[in-house]
């Protein structure tokens, strides 16, 4: 049998692409085991959201009567490959990978397939391989919402001066966020209404890197800018630290994403202007459902597909919600993602 364990049929109907992932060969479960075993290989637990992702996934897999093994690579490609190899050795029935480096992890997918294990790429795409399934938020839309928030708040002189902080170059999502931002900004840049005064990529999404970028921008331009288009809450936090040191916090609009508690507190206090809430609760339910179907070799219907440079990967995209001071209560608090008292009355350090 071919190394590929799944057959992917992609058919076009009107503008909707339907991907059907069909199980091939056996039940997928190792003979000696009654309960499915899912392997979860994570890049990092640095951002709060990943801890939430891990905890919800683990709890929901167990509640569904299956088991899970989790490994974290701390932003190291070699470590992540080793983690996947070890999960393969443990004979997991399906693998969920959140890649540090979407290009480098193609090797992990190939190894899993050689062992007959299907792979779901979660949140970030693994490129250049025969990936089985991709579950993510609408990442281009994240970037569009961030940029739109700023362009909807043009200064009175009709010219918006921006510092842009992108995410990790190794993360395919960072490029998608930029693509979404560009969709909104390019026409306005061409019309002379938006000026990018400084831009750079934050290494491994580090807040320290974002702080350095902001410091460098201020050294170069002084305080002559209106907004910082930070691609996530971690980098927003680093940028806001630099702004605070310069007495600019609260005067400059700063974007983000993830609805981290610290970011929601900054929004309540007025030092960060917006974030994008990605409903981790709902996506974790979908993730468990898909991972279990893969493990049990059951058919999966995916409405979308995403080219990863090698194949059109059947994809499931989950919607996201922009969050500002006005709707903090109606979104993250209402959803139980954060408690109202934590968001609005943070303990002062
Ligand atoms: C995720 C973001 C996260 C960032 C840093 C991205 O791929 O989509 O939610 O903030 O990585 O971990």
């Amino acid at each position: 049998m071919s190394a590929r364990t799944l057959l992917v049929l992609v058919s076009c109907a009107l503008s909707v692409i339907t991907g059907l992932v069909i199980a091939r060969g056996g039940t997928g479960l190792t003979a000696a085991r009654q309960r499915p075993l899912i392997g979860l290989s994570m890049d990092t637990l640095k951002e709060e959201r990943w801890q939430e992702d891990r905890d919800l996934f683990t709890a929901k897999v167990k509640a569904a009567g299956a088991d899970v093994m989790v490994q974290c690579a701390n932003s190291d490609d070699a470590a992540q490959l080793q983690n996947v190899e070890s999960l393969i050795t443990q004979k997991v029935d399906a693998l969920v990978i959140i890649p540090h480096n979407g290009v480098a992890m193609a090797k992990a997918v190939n190894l899993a397939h050689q062992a007959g294990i299907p792979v779901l790429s979660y949140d970030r795409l693994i490129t250049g391989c025969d990936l089985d399934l991709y579950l993510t938020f609408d990442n281009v839309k994240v970037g569009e919402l961030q940029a739109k928030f700023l362009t909807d708040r043009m200064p009175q002189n009709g010219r918006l001066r921006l510092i842009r902080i992108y995410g990790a170059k190794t993360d395919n999502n960072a490029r998608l966020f930029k693509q979404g931002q560009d969709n909104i900004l390019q026409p306005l840049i061409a019309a002379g209404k938006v000026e990018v005064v400084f831009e750079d990529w934050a290494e491994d999404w580090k807040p320290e890197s974002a702080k350095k970028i902001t410091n460098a921008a201020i050294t170069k331009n002084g305080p002559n800018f209106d907004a910082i288009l930070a691609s996530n809450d971690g980098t927003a936090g680093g940028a806001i630290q630099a702004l605070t040191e310069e007495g600019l916090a609260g005067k400059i609009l700063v974007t983000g994403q993830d609805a981290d508690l610290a970011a929601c507190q900054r929004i309540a206090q007025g030092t960060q202007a917006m974030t994008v809430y990605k409903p981790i609760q709902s996506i974790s339910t979908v993730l468990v459902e898909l991972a279990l179907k893969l493990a049990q070799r059951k058919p999966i219907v995916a409405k979308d597909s995403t080219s990863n440079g090698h194949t059109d990967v059947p994809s499931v995209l989950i919607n996201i919600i922009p969050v500002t001071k006005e709707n903090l209560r109606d979104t993250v608090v209402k959803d139980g993602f954060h408690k109202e008292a934590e968001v609005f009355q943070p303990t002062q350090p």
Side-chain angles (χ1 to χ4, degrees):
M1 194 168 82
S2 94
R4 188 104 158 86
T5 49
L6 302 170
L7 170 68
V8 179
L9 299 178
V10 179
S11 67
C12 290
L14 301 170
S15 60
V16 182
I17 297 173
T18 309
L20 179 60
V21 183
I22 302 178
R24 259 210 228 157
T27 62
L29 294 189
T30 312
R33 219 171 28 227
Q34 296 299 312
R35 290 159 66 95
L37 175 63
I38 319 270
L40 172 63
S41 163
M42 307 187 73
D43 160 27
T44 179
L45 287 165
K46 176 161 53 69
E47 285 83 13
E48 187 181 287
R49 66 151 293 186
W50 299 122
Q51 298 165 27
E52 192 80 13
D53 278 292
R54 176 201 54 195
D55 295 348
L56 286 169
F57 182 68
T58 307
K60 289 183 183 180
V61 167
K62 287 193 177 146
D67 293 310
V68 61
M69 295 183 79
V70 183
Q71 303 260 16
C72 180
N74 299 318
S75 309
D76 180 329
D77 291 341
Q80 188 158 29
L81 194 59
Q82 268 179 11
N83 289 346
V84 170
E85 280 169 345
S86 120
L87 291 168
I88 293 172
T89 310
Q90 307 285 335
K91 296 195 169 20
V92 292
D93 300 300
L95 257 172
V96 174
I97 301 181
I98 306 163
H100 168 251
N101 181 326
V103 178
M105 273 311 102
K107 190 163 176 200
V109 175
N110 294 337
L111 288 176
H113 284 172
Q114 279 161 27
I117 301 168
V119 181
L120 183 159
S121 196
Y122 174 59
D123 195 84
R124 301 174 178 169
L125 185 64
I126 303 175
T127 54
C129 62
D130 229 357
L131 184 64
D132 302 298
L133 195 56
Y134 180 39
L135 170 65
T136 191
F137 294 101
D138 189 338
N139 295 305
V140 173
K141 188 167 169 198
V142 170
E144 288 174 349
L145 288 175
Q146 292 169 326
K148 182 92 178 31
F149 176 86
L150 297 180
T151 56
D152 281 350
R153 286 160 184 77
M154 277 281 173
Q156 286 198 334
N157 64 6
R159 198 174 164 78
L160 180 73
R161 294 159 306 173
L162 279 185
I163 295 175
R164 297 185 68 180
I165 303 178
Y166 312 119
K169 276 189 185 158
T170 46
D171 177 1
N172 186 66
N173 279 356
R175 266 181 279 275
L176 296 179
F177 302 142
K178 180 176 185 301
Q179 186 187 316
Q181 296 165 2
D182 287 343
N183 289 347
I184 304 296
L185 294 180
Q186 285 310 340
L188 295 164
I189 293 174
K193 292 187 175 158
V194 169
E195 183 193 352
V196 179
V197 298
F198 201 89
E199 61 189 323
D200 207 349
W201 298 78
E203 190 203 353
D204 277 340
W205 289 100
K206 285 185 197 144
E208 310 87 87
S209 176
K211 180 167 186 281
K212 277 191 196 144
I213 293 168
T214 310
N215 285 333
I218 295 175
T219 304
K220 187 174 164 231
N221 302 289
N224 303 316
F225 56 95
D226 308 294
I228 301 184
L229 182 43
S231 291
N232 79 343
D233 287 341
T235 52
I240 290 167
Q241 252 182 294
L243 293 179
T244 305
E245 286 168 13
E246 299 291 332
L248 293 171
K251 298 179 184 155
I252 301 285
L253 297 174
V254 182
T255 62
Q257 77 167 292
D258 288 342
D260 282 355
L261 178 57
C264 293
Q265 291 172 339
R266 290 192 296 261
I267 291 174
Q269 290 161 356
T271 54
Q272 183 169 329
M274 68 88 75
T275 185
V276 178
Y277 172 46
K278 298 162 128 181
I280 305 279
Q281 271 281 4
S282 352
I283 204 172
S284 67
T285 304
V286 180
L287 179 59
V288 171
E289 199 182 298
L290 295 177
L292 282 174
K293 281 187 175 163
L294 281 181
Q296 295 165 330
R297 309 298 188 263
K298 290 186 178 158
I300 292 169
V301 176
K303 262 199 348 207
D304 291 295
S305 90
T306 310
S307 167
N308 76 345
H310 177 93
T311 188
D312 285 329
V313 186
S315 305
V316 179
L317 263 67
I318 307 285
N319 206 3
I320 40 115
I321 303 148
V323 174
T324 61
K325 202 168 192 165
E326 284 65 48
N327 69 350
L328 264 173
R329 282 191 177 84
D330 285 340
T331 52
V332 291
V333 172
K334 194 169 166 195
D335 245 22
F337 192 61
H338 297 308
K339 295 195 178 65
E340 174 156 0
E342 289 171 335
V343 172
F344 291 94
Q345 291 158 13
T347 353
Q348 295 302 324

